[in-house]
Amino acid sequence: AHDFRSRSDDSEDTELRFVTCQSLWNQIKSETEQIQEDLNKQLLDNLMNFLSRSLSEFREKTTEWTCRMKFREIPTAALVLGVNVTDHDSTFRSLSDVLQDNITPYIALLEAKDCPGIKNLMQKLMGQLMNCDIDVDPLEDEDSVQVSQNRIRCSMSSLISWYESVTKKTDSETPSKKRNSSSRHWQSPPVVVIFKDMESFSTKVLQDFIVISSQHIHELPLVLIFGIATSPMIIHRLLPHSVSSLLCIELFQSVSCKEHLSTIIDKLLLTSRFPFKLGEKVLQVLINIFLYHDFSVQNFIKGFQLCVVEHFYSQPLSVLCCQLVDVKKRVYSLSHDQCENIRRLPSFRRYVEKQESGKQVALLTNDSFLKEETEKLLEDLHVYHENYVSILRCLHVFTSSLPKYPLGKQIRELHCACLENRVWETEEYESSLQLARMLNKTDLVTMLQQCVEILTSSSGKEFDKTVEKLKEFLTQFQNLEAEASQEQDVSVSSQKELQKKTDLYHLQKTLLELKESRRSKKLTKFEMLRFEVVDYIDSLVRKYLVPADDRTLHEIMYFNAATILRGHLNAAPRTALHTALNNPHWYLKNQALKCDGGGISNKAPDICIVYKLHLECGRLINLVDWLEAFSTVVMAAEEPNADAASSDQVDDIIHARFIRAVSELELLGFIKPSKQKTDHVARLTWGGC
Amino acid sequence: MSRPEGTRSSRRSLQVKFVPDEDVLKHIADDAGTKVRKDKAQLSVSMKKFVKKLENISDNEAQEILEEKNYVATLGICAQDPVGNGSNISGGEVYSFQTPKRSSKMAELASELAQTPEQNVAPDHSKCPEKMAKTPQSSKMFLLLMHVFSLLFQSKNEEFVSTTPYRLRKRLAAPDPYLESESEYSASCSEEEHEEDQKEVNIVLSSQKTPGKTKAASTPPPRNSLSKKIKEQKMGNLVEEYFEAHSSSKVLTSDRTLQKLRKRRLNQQTLHELLKKAPLAYAAEIRDLNQQHESLFSKWMLQLHLGFNIVLYGLGSKRDLLEKFRTSLLQDSVHLVVNGYFPGITVRSILNSITEEVLDHIGTFRSPLDQLEFIIKRFKEDSSLELYVLIHNLDSQMLRGERSQQILAQLSSLPSIYLIASIDHINAPLMWDQAKLSLYNWLWYETTTFSPYVEETSYENSLLVQQSGSLALSSLTHVLHSLTLNARGIFRLLAQHQLEKKDNPSYPGLSFQDFYQQCREAFLVNSDLTLRAQLTEFRDHKLIRTKRGADGVEYLLIPVDDSTLTDFLEKEDEDV
């Protein structure tokens, strides 16, 4: 296999890095697949129930079934999957796997692009069911006999005869085997036809297929599954009433892609299982591509993969980005160059500067001392991660129930905020603390209980004390309840007093007194306790949610090159072209091209000049004018010392250059030839510059 | 009076906000600004309204730009990237909407550009990325200068005609008679242009303000209630402008044609020779760029193997780069190079070359889909099979169709097929929907090379290149030489007849019956069956075209231009 080795110039441990990268990625991949499976489980179970129900009805031939027979209804499952079409494939794959295992071996997956007509659809269907390629006459115009034969082969009746023969075969041939299989499949397993992308099928094909198969439903237990990306309404829009009444539709909803993403983030990023981490910017880019562009979890994972690869490829020290057990061995086998690499890390430099001078020298000169220190720092980093995740979840418990969600509803938003900078210095954090100080008791208690759960289940060792403290708060809250009733009495009595006085003057006086007392009054015990709790949470945040950029050696674990990622995943080809044409100096670092503000110099490459000139034109461009303008510019650039003798020659060359530039613009799609007027071209972009 | 005063002062206060505190320049700017404004206030109220509207629009635009910037910022663009893919410009700045322009503007800009580069401060606001990376102070300075310039420009508007640059006037005064007429044209044009330009300058003025506003920390609170209305107004304006530009069938360009120029049309060969003489500008810088890209080769290789496919974009031919990639890294592996720019390329031919050359399969397929299925099956069965596919110009005319892209995407999604392709067209990414994109699994690489598109454009039928027909001529002679003497005679007859009628523009072709008669008289055929057989052969080689006339008669035509045909006959005569 190919690995990082080809870049052998400065980096070391390439092989090890590659292996680490691969194993890490494989872990992540299997994890994501597992997550997806878990998320789909509910949906698949429901579907499975539906199928077995419809099947049992078919077999039992109950009265209900007979009445359904009369109406020839095909059991149909409408699967609403959401707009992220690219993720559907995996769902369908797992669906067909599960069906294969549990219900029926006869499954056909149909896609719109394979079925432009009913004939193709039947071909595809039978081909998949019979598990062989039906070669429908390779030379269609050979003779009519063969054609008709083939048409027979691809009809519903042939499908039915095939089905009968298959089911009979299993019935008659080996009873023992049958029993075996019947444990998994029923006696007459249904034929499941899955339309992956129902919206893109042509309506005629769908209608024909449904009408035809409804005629044969009593011979062939057919079940349809529609994959729907938009809304269930589409069924009625695609199929007229006469057709849709042939279906007995049940609706199933898959997990929304946002939920899917949250789970992925939760399981991949907010965990200390994987040493590799995403920096704030990078995570932002990935999430934004997801939210603004495609809603595709698949693409998110692809972006994540790219991050992993980039990190291990570009950062020589990423060899240390491994599980804690391996760290020690790897640190001690570092070469001298790698040690130098560590010393060059900005976060390490900052760390060194904070040390006393003796240690500074040791760190900078003594490799083995450096290694020891590195190991310690890496362990610290691991501990930091473990604590970070738990406390982040605790904080999220608090912030996610506040009105207006100052720190975001999703934990990913909170995570980004914490990664970006010190979260306790932000305004949003301030306001959310304010809001937290106004929580009522029941909420507060449940939150504290949740936090206790999170902390006790976390792997961090430092949390024993914290848990104790939180439990203490909880008991204090319980104690409060007894006191609260007493307090209520007092307030009631004062209220009663208020009611006794009817005199206006006295009323005013007591009201004023009451107000005074309320202002000066000590906070109730509950309020004090609430303050204490919030302050404690605040202290936890300040201690554990330090942004990763402040940690020493964070470069080893965190991938932060958001620009690269964005360039590769969310590129802007038009912008690049625009920059190249308008400002060639951006790419060609030549002084002659440099000029101030907007304009380009007349020494710019031909295509830039031609482009700039064409921007000044309307819909049509006269080629003669264009040529003339071009030669004006170019001649000026080429020092007007050309003598008359060679001018003709020069003209030809300029003409040729102009032709080249214009045809290049045509290739790029800015202009096209126009027949509206002789020697004119049409502009294809509107506006410009 | 008090009310207009109020609005004016408020406008002035706005001005103060975004102009920085550079004392002297600010005074100048303000003075000039107020002067102009006073003039206008006297002119008419409606004019002011117009200006105000524009200003409102600019406010709104500022808002939008701000939002756009926010969005861009959240996407994590960093301007500090030294290698610099110039993608840190927001979309609105790239292809914004604007008023239509006149052809004489081009000449104007040309002469402006022709002057020394230091002086060219064209009213052009595409901010180069370089500028954005600079310190805010200097950019503010720049804005201010632009502002001053535009104001001055505006005040000088009255004698716009006289600002026609000297060089241009000299050109116009050239002795050629057809140029004389041109100067008349421009003179008449400038009259109406006056008004148009004023409007444009106003837009310049207002658009100047927008970036300044985004920079100012204390932007006035957004007039939300108003903004919606303004937006509608703006939309209305845009729509009107668009249709104004596109509805008028009248084309406002000069009537000059290339034929009136003394210059002969160049053919492909002379063009190449001439271009060879012209030195390639900035060769050293282009070489640097290429070296940067070449350093990525090993990375590409790695990413290809990890299941990504790579697409290259950016200005300049990427053919040499891909060739270099191929020669340096793919020598020992199976690879397929597809020249997408070649006009005859089809998906079928790509698939054929995979099945025939790579998989050694002999046999035909009913449809490309079947062929694709076969390929997929083979590649899945045999995991040792690996194939690198290099496609130059994936966005070419022949490959950009939906079906071809679908097939190519499916092909590229195979784990053991590694695709690396280049695109050039500005709208190329529109070829792909989400489904195709996920099949392709692209990694985008910006590889701006600035190299001329030599190969890619050589097939294009450019307007300026003479339809040389040298290809047709050689193919004619080649095909004819492989035919019998009689067949050649038959073709000659047809060609001669066509040349005789070359002055008749509505010549439909030679009818089959007449042709048969002539051939019989020349003892070339003995029955119309033999003639038909012969014609079928011609047709298969695309030497002739048959057309049925209105009366049902079959007409024969050689689809080659007359000069080529003459050349061909001359050559034939030489040979005989």
Side-chain angles (χ1 to χ4, degrees):
Chain A
H2 205 79
D3 58 21
F4 305 150
R5 220 173 307 157
S6 34
R7 212 182 100 115
S8 56
D9 43 349
D10 60 333
S11 50
E12 293 110 59
D13 305 320
T14 43
E15 207 154 329
L16 189 57
R17 257 159 59 204
F18 183 70
V19 171
T20 324
C21 171
Q22 284 298 78
S23 75
L24 178 70
W25 171 242
N26 286 335
Q27 258 180 48
I28 291 173
K29 205 169 140 195
S30 62
E31 177 80 22
T32 55
E33 277 160 13
Q34 187 61 42
I35 291 169
Q36 179 143 37
E37 215 167 274
D38 294 347
L39 284 176
N40 280 334
K41 198 170 178 308
Q42 178 73 33
L43 175 74
L44 294 183
D45 285 350
N46 288 346
L47 261 177
M48 219 51 75
N49 276 336
F50 167 75
L51 285 177
S52 48
R53 212 169 346 113
S54 63
L55 192 65
S56 64
E57 278 163 5
F58 176 75
R59 212 158 356 95
E60 282 163 17
K61 300 211 194 296
T62 55
T63 47
E64 200 203 337
W65 175 248
T66 48
C67 89
R68 185 178 289 181
M69 285 295 291
K70 215 162 58 194
F71 293 110
R72 298 192 302 242
E73 283 187 351
I74 312 170
T76 305
L79 213 59
V80 182
L81 291 163
V83 288
N84 47 337
V85 189
T86 44
D87 296 346
H88 295 174
D89 258 358
S90 54
T91 314
F92 282 119
R93 218 177 304 127
S94 58
L95 173 65
S96 68
D97 283 351
V98 171
L99 287 179
Q100 203 109 46
D101 286 348
N102 295 318
I103 299 215
T104 171
Y106 311 122
I107 298 168
L109 272 164
L110 298 178
E111 274 182 271
K113 63 173 191 290
D114 299 332
C115 310
I118 183 78
K119 194 178 161 205
N120 306 61
L121 187 141
M122 288 305 289
Q123 268 173 34
K124 208 84 196 169
L125 178 66
M126 295 185 68
Q128 285 194 22
L129 287 177
M130 299 176 188
N131 232 345
C132 61
D133 296 314
I134 300 177
D135 280 322
V136 183
D137 50 321
L139 296 162
E140 251 175 294
D141 47 357
E142 216 168 81
D143 53 350
S144 59
V145 185
Q146 198 170 350
V147 172
S148 68
Q149 255 179 0
N150 281 305
R151 200 163 287 151
I152 287 166
R153 278 177 65 193
C154 266
S155 73
M156 212 62 195
S157 55
S158 62
L159 187 64
I160 290 163
S161 63
W162 163 82
Y163 181 76
E164 274 169 3
S165 72
V166 169
T167 44
K168 228 170 242 157
K169 214 186 280 167
T170 48
D171 276 357
S172 59
E173 253 180 14
T174 44
S176 60
K177 207 176 178 184
K178 189 208 86 189
R179 203 167 300 140
N180 245 347
S181 65
S182 68
S183 63
R184 276 173 57 224
H185 304 303
W186 279 284
Q187 263 176 335
S188 50
V191 176
V192 178
V193 182
I194 302 176
F195 295 86
K196 275 185 169 180
D197 39 357
M198 194 212 179
E199 283 96 338
S200 13
F201 275 92
S202 77
T203 49
K204 197 172 172 306
V205 173
L206 268 183
Q207 288 173 23
D208 287 353
F209 179 73
I210 291 169
V211 172
I212 292 170
S213 49
S214 75
Q215 306 279 344
H216 298 279
I217 185 72
H218 51 282
E219 294 155 293
L220 186 74
L222 198 70
V223 178
L224 305 182
I225 296 179
F226 291 147
I228 293 172
T230 51
S231 86
M233 279 303 292
I234 198 77
I235 298 176
H236 299 289
R237 202 164 300 161
L238 285 180
L239 306 173
H241 183 69
S242 60
V243 177
S244 63
S245 62
L246 298 174
L247 302 173
C248 167
I249 304 173
E250 200 164 319
L251 204 63
F252 296 92
Q253 184 92 38
S254 77
V255 188
S256 86
C257 51
K258 275 188 196 163
E259 247 169 84
H260 194 170
L261 181 76
S262 320
T263 328
I264 292 273
I265 288 180
D266 204 57
K267 293 270 166 65
L268 289 187
L269 302 180
L270 300 177
T271 168
S272 47
R273 278 185 58 203
F274 305 112
F276 174 79
K277 306 277 172 200
L278 291 181
E280 187 265 330
K281 284 256 172 58
V282 174
L283 185 56
Q284 261 324 333
V285 168
L286 286 180
I287 289 176
N288 278 326
I289 289 176
F290 176 85
L291 291 178
Y292 289 111
H293 291 269
D294 51 12
F295 285 122
S296 165
V297 178
Q298 209 86 31
N299 278 354
F300 183 85
I301 294 169
K302 170 193 164 189
F304 194 69
Q305 182 189 7
L306 184 65
C307 294
V308 174
V309 173
E310 274 288 340
H311 180 68
F312 281 90
Y313 182 80
S314 55
Q315 172 63 269
L317 286 170
S318 59
V319 68
L320 298 178
C321 182
C322 57
Q323 299 296 343
L324 194 56
V325 260
D326 301 330
V327 164
K328 189 165 185 177
K329 210 175 75 199
R330 294 200 181 175
V331 167
Y332 283 103
S333 59
L334 286 182
S335 64
H336 175 70
D337 286 345
Q338 285 282 52
C339 291
E340 285 302 313
N341 278 333
I342 292 179
R343 287 182 186 123
R344 248 173 268 148
L345 291 179
S347 70
F348 188 75
R349 279 209 214 137
R350 254 176 288 154
Y351 173 74
V352 170
E353 276 159 25
K354 278 182 211 148
Q355 307 304 315
E356 63 224 58
S357 59
K359 203 176 174 191
Q360 276 185 2
V361 174
L363 279 174
L364 292 180
T365 52
N366 188 346
D367 275 0
S368 57
F369 183 70
L370 176 81
K371 283 175 186 173
E372 260 171 53
E373 196 67 20
T374 308
E375 196 202 335
K376 225 181 290 164
L377 286 169
L378 283 176
E379 268 168 31
D380 282 355
L381 209 56
H382 276 267
V383 172
Y384 157 77
H385 281 146
E386 283 172 3
N387 298 338
Y388 175 89
V389 174
S390 310
I391 298 297
L392 187 75
R393 284 181 202 281
C394 287
L395 182 61
H396 181 240
V397 165
F398 276 88
T399 56
S400 61
S401 59
L402 296 175
K404 284 194 179 173
Y405 310 105
L407 277 171
K409 204 177 192 174
Q410 306 278 349
I411 195 163
R412 59 163 187 261
E413 295 165 82
L414 190 65
H415 180 51
C416 283
C418 292
L419 280 179
E420 197 180 3
N421 42 33
R422 297 196 174 113
V423 69
W424 58 87
E425 287 171 0
T426 58
E427 267 177 52
E428 290 86 7
Y429 181 78
E430 204 57 43
S431 61
S432 55
L433 275 196
Q434 291 283 348
L435 288 167
R437 289 198 180 103
M438 287 186 268
L439 285 170
N440 64 18
K441 203 176 88 183
T442 43
D443 281 355
L444 209 54
V445 169
T446 47
M447 280 175 195
L448 283 177
Q449 275 162 350
Q450 278 175 337
C451 287
V452 169
E453 263 168 48
I454 290 169
L455 291 180
T456 44
S457 64
S458 82
S459 50
K461 288 144 201 128
E462 292 180 25
F463 290 130
D464 295 343
K465 261 190 202 162
T466 321
V467 171
E468 254 170 52
K469 181 86 180 164
L470 288 179
K471 277 184 179 160
E472 200 184 304
F473 281 132
L474 277 174
T475 49
Q476 276 177 347
F477 273 119
Q478 270 154 18
N479 292 340
L480 267 180
E481 251 157 64
E483 294 166 36
S485 56
Q486 290 172 6
E487 233 174 88
Q488 219 161 22
D489 285 346
V490 176
S491 62
V492 166
S493 67
S494 73
Q495 212 108 79
K496 268 177 190 162
E497 231 172 274
L498 201 85
Q499 278 163 359
K500 253 186 266 172
K501 311 279 185 195
T502 46
D503 173 357
L504 194 65
Y505 169 74
H506 280 280
L507 180 68
Q508 202 174 12
K509 201 176 150 195
T510 38
L511 277 177
L512 275 175
E513 263 169 28
L514 215 65
K515 197 180 165 196
E516 198 77 351
S517 73
R518 202 163 278 171
R519 190 177 294 160
S520 63
K521 203 173 79 182
K522 279 197 297 171
L523 297 162
T524 61
K525 278 200 177 152
F526 166 66
E527 280 166 332
M528 298 233 301
L529 197 57
R530 191 164 61 180
F531 273 37
E532 237 174 276
V533 169
V534 174
D535 286 344
Y536 186 68
I537 296 289
D538 186 36
S539 73
L540 284 180
V541 168
R542 280 165 201 267
K543 188 171 170 197
Y544 293 111
L545 294 189
V546 184
D549 291 355
D550 293 359
R551 305 292 305 196
T552 314
L553 295 185
H554 69 91
E555 289 95 337
I556 292 177
M557 309 283 187
Y558 283 82
F559 177 68
N560 250 326
T563 343
I564 296 176
L565 187 71
R566 187 167 184 269
H568 289 338
L569 294 181
N570 193 11
R574 283 182 81 140
T575 324
L577 268 184
H578 175 258
T579 315
L581 288 170
N582 273 306
N583 183 22
H585 180 251
W586 181 260
Y587 294 98
L588 304 172
K589 305 288 182 203
N590 190 314
Q591 278 309 310
L593 289 173
K594 202 166 181 176
C595 62
D596 34 57
I600 57 169
S601 87
N602 51 19
K603 296 190 182 64
D606 294 343
I607 187 165
C608 300
I609 293 172
V610 168
Y611 171 78
K612 207 74 190 166
L613 291 172
H614 110 286
L615 285 181
E616 299 299 321
C617 293
R619 199 155 40 103
L620 288 184
I621 306 171
N622 186 324
L623 280 171
V624 184
D625 289 347
W626 202 2
L627 171 60
E628 197 147 298
F630 177 73
S631 62
T632 315
V633 175
V634 173
M635 300 271 260
E638 278 172 1
E639 307 306 315
N641 58 1
D643 40 308
S646 66
S647 73
D648 204 34
Q649 177 76 14
V650 167
D651 256 4
D652 265 354
I653 289 178
I654 289 177
H655 189 191
R657 281 164 63 185
F658 176 69
I659 290 172
R660 178 172 64 187
V662 168
S663 44
E664 280 173 0
L665 276 191
E666 192 181 341
L667 179 81
L668 293 175
F670 285 104
I671 55 165
K672 69 168 188 196
S674 163
K675 289 243 165 74
Q676 231 174 315
K677 213 168 162 185
T678 41
D679 291 333
H680 274 65
V681 289
R683 248 185 97 174
L684 293 178
T685 51
W686 175 246
C689 72
Chain B
M1 190 60 211
S2 66
R3 193 156 296 170
E5 196 81 79
T7 55
R8 215 186 308 155
S9 67
S10 78
R11 215 188 306 147
R12 205 180 306 161
S13 74
L14 267 179
Q15 201 106 15
V16 170
K17 251 174 205 162
F18 58 77
V19 173
D21 297 343
E22 264 103 350
D23 342 54
V24 187
L25 281 169
K26 178 188 148 203
H27 279 296
I28 297 168
D30 244 348
D31 279 351
T34 44
K35 247 182 233 163
V36 171
R37 252 178 251 119
K38 260 176 196 157
D39 283 341
K40 240 188 262 153
Q42 281 156 7
L43 261 175
S44 68
V45 189
S46 65
M47 184 66 190
K48 199 188 292 162
K49 265 185 191 158
F50 182 51
V51 173
K52 235 165 70 187
K53 205 165 89 182
L54 279 171
E55 205 171 9
N56 284 344
I57 288 167
S58 77
D59 266 7
N60 203 37
E61 263 168 10
Q63 194 89 10
E64 267 171 14
I65 288 170
L66 195 66
E67 272 165 23
E68 221 162 66
K69 287 234 171 94
N70 275 342
Y71 167 69
V72 168
T74 50
L75 274 179
I77 289 181
C78 305
Q80 307 93 305
D81 190 14
V83 189
N85 43 12
S87 48
N88 43 0
I89 304 175
S90 54
E93 283 171 59
V94 183
Y95 298 106
S96 61
F97 204 81
Q98 66 167 36
T99 51
K101 285 172 174 167
R102 296 289 139 82
S103 66
S104 58
K105 290 284 282 184
M106 185 157 73
E108 201 181 303
L109 181 77
S111 54
E112 233 169 273
L113 283 175
Q115 284 155 21
T116 46
E118 284 80 23
Q119 286 173 6
N120 93 73
V121 196
D124 166 19
H125 322 294
S126 65
K127 266 194 288 160
C128 43
E130 197 79 341
K131 217 64 229 183
M132 287 167 102
K134 266 187 183 173
T135 55
Q137 185 150 19
S138 71
S139 69
K140 266 185 199 169
M141 178 81 165
F142 158 66
L143 278 173
L144 187 73
L145 281 173
M146 291 298 291
H147 188 81
V148 173
F149 173 76
S150 61
L151 284 172
L152 289 175
F153 188 57
Q154 192 179 17
S155 59
K156 267 188 189 161
N157 226 347
E158 306 303 330
E159 25 352 283
F160 182 74
V161 186
S162 69
T163 57
T164 317
Y166 173 68
R167 188 182 293 270
L168 189 68
R169 268 186 287 153
K170 206 171 82 177
R171 284 196 81 85
L172 292 179
D176 305 33
Y178 60 91
L179 279 177
E180 211 70 80
S181 67
E182 171 59 19
S183 74
E184 265 172 39
Y185 170 83
S186 74
S188 66
C189 197
S190 58
E191 200 62 26
E192 61 166 311
E193 219 166 289
H194 177 78
E195 206 176 282
E196 190 68 22
D197 268 312
Q198 190 146 2
K199 193 170 139 200
E200 239 164 66
V201 166
N202 275 333
I203 290 163
V204 165
L205 180 75
S206 53
S207 71
Q208 273 311 299
K209 291 172 183 174
T210 52
K213 201 149 261 176
T214 53
K215 262 172 200 132
S218 63
T219 41
R223 282 163 283 172
N224 273 334
S225 56
L226 212 64
S227 68
K228 201 170 183 182
K229 215 171 100 195
I230 290 164
K231 197 159 208 168
E232 271 165 19
Q233 241 173 27
K234 186 188 167 195
M235 275 310 292
N237 262 356
L238 291 186
V239 172
E240 272 166 31
E241 275 173 36
Y242 180 83
F243 283 111
E244 189 192 332
H246 277 248
S247 65
S248 64
S249 54
K250 195 173 67 179
V251 181
L252 291 166
T253 51
S254 62
D255 296 325
R256 296 197 287 166
T257 56
L258 286 172
Q259 271 190 341
K260 287 193 200 155
L261 281 183
R262 283 161 305 171
K263 236 158 265 164
R264 63 205 151 79
R265 289 202 169 200
L266 302 169
N267 61 27
Q268 200 76 43
Q269 207 169 357
T270 45
L271 181 70
H272 268 287
E273 275 162 18
L274 281 172
L275 285 177
K276 239 177 251 170
K277 279 184 212 156
L280 182 63
Y282 305 109
E285 283 83 4
I286 288 175
R287 210 169 44 242
D288 281 355
L289 268 180
N290 273 320
Q291 261 161 13
Q292 271 175 28
H293 302 321
E294 279 159 27
S295 67
L296 294 170
F297 281 175
S298 63
K299 199 170 170 184
W300 291 355
M301 206 60 183
L302 172 77
Q303 284 166 340
L304 286 175
H305 276 266
L306 288 173
F308 296 104
N309 292 308
I310 285 174
V311 61
L312 310 177
Y313 65 91
L315 181 68
S317 170
K318 291 161 277 288
R319 198 174 169 277
D320 293 343
L321 191 69
L322 279 178
E323 271 304 293
K324 197 145 190 189
F325 176 70
R326 188 180 73 83
T327 49
S328 61
L329 286 176
L330 300 182
Q331 273 313 328
D332 304 327
S333 30
V334 187
H335 58 261
L336 175 73
V337 180
V338 178
N339 293 325
Y341 50 81
F342 188 73
I345 196 93
T346 57
V347 180
R348 189 142 207 170
S349 57
I350 298 174
L351 292 175
N352 276 340
S353 49
I354 293 179
T355 48
E356 281 161 22
E357 317 270 323
V358 180
L359 301 175
D360 290 327
H361 173 84
I362 301 155
T364 53
F365 295 90
R366 273 179 53 239
S367 71
L369 278 176
D370 283 358
Q371 202 165 3
L372 178 71
E373 226 159 82
F374 172 79
I375 294 170
I376 290 174
K377 215 172 94 196
R378 281 292 296 274
F379 270 94
K380 277 189 177 151
E381 276 167 9
D382 189 354
S383 57
S384 68
L385 272 176
E386 280 190 339
L387 175 65
Y388 295 84
V389 182
L390 286 87
I391 302 183
H392 302 293
N393 284 76
L394 186 58
D395 55 347
S396 68
Q397 285 288 352
M398 297 304 293
L399 297 181
R400 65 173 69 143
E402 205 268 334
R403 289 179 70 83
S404 350
Q405 287 296 327
Q406 179 68 38
I407 288 172
L408 287 175
Q410 271 174 296
L411 204 60
S412 73
S413 68
L414 284 177
S416 48
I417 287 186
Y418 312 116
L419 174 67
I420 177 163
S422 67
I423 56 168
D424 285 302
H425 198 279
I426 43 169
N427 294 329
L430 298 181
M431 293 188 294
W432 303 314
D433 55 14
Q434 289 293 350
K436 286 196 201 73
L437 278 178
S438 84
L439 281 176
Y440 271 124
N441 204 10
W442 288 129
L443 285 188
W444 298 74
Y445 273 90
E446 182 183 343
T447 52
T448 302
T449 60
F450 274 99
S451 340
Y453 292 98
V454 180
E455 287 287 323
E456 288 91 329
T457 53
S458 62
Y459 294 102
E460 225 166 336
N461 298 324
S462 177
L463 277 171
L464 294 161
V465 182
Q466 190 189 18
Q467 294 301 329
S468 63
S470 63
L471 206 69
L473 184 60
S474 66
S475 59
L476 271 185
T477 44
H478 273 294
V479 172
L480 262 289
H481 272 285
S482 63
L483 292 177
T484 59
L485 211 63
N486 269 5
R488 264 188 265 175
I490 293 171
F491 190 78
R492 252 183 96 91
L493 261 182
L494 190 58
Q496 274 164 353
H497 188 264
Q498 188 162 334
L499 279 182
E500 278 165 23
K501 296 282 169 61
K502 70 178 170 189
D503 294 329
N504 178 10
S506 59
Y507 168 66
L510 184 56
S511 74
F512 180 77
Q513 278 308 323
D514 292 349
F515 190 34
Y516 174 57
Q517 210 57 46
Q518 284 183 25
C519 288
R520 263 186 86 98
E521 279 162 15
F523 298 111
L524 290 169
V525 294
N526 50 13
S527 73
D528 67 343
L529 269 182
T530 42
L531 180 59
R532 280 206 185 277
Q534 209 50 257
L535 289 181
T536 316
E537 188 151 2
F538 288 156
R539 205 171 321 155
D540 289 347
H541 288 102
K542 298 207 167 69
L543 290 181
I544 60 164
R545 211 165 49 195
T546 52
K547 208 165 49 179
R548 263 192 207 285
D551 46 357
V553 181
E554 205 174 352
Y555 289 106
L556 306 167
L557 202 64
I558 305 176
V560 176
D561 58 47
D562 299 333
S563 57
T564 316
L565 218 51
T566 326
D567 285 351
F568 165 71
L569 286 180
E570 275 168 15
K571 217 167 181 183
E572 280 287 281
D573 288 336
E574 277 170 30
D575 287 357
V576 169

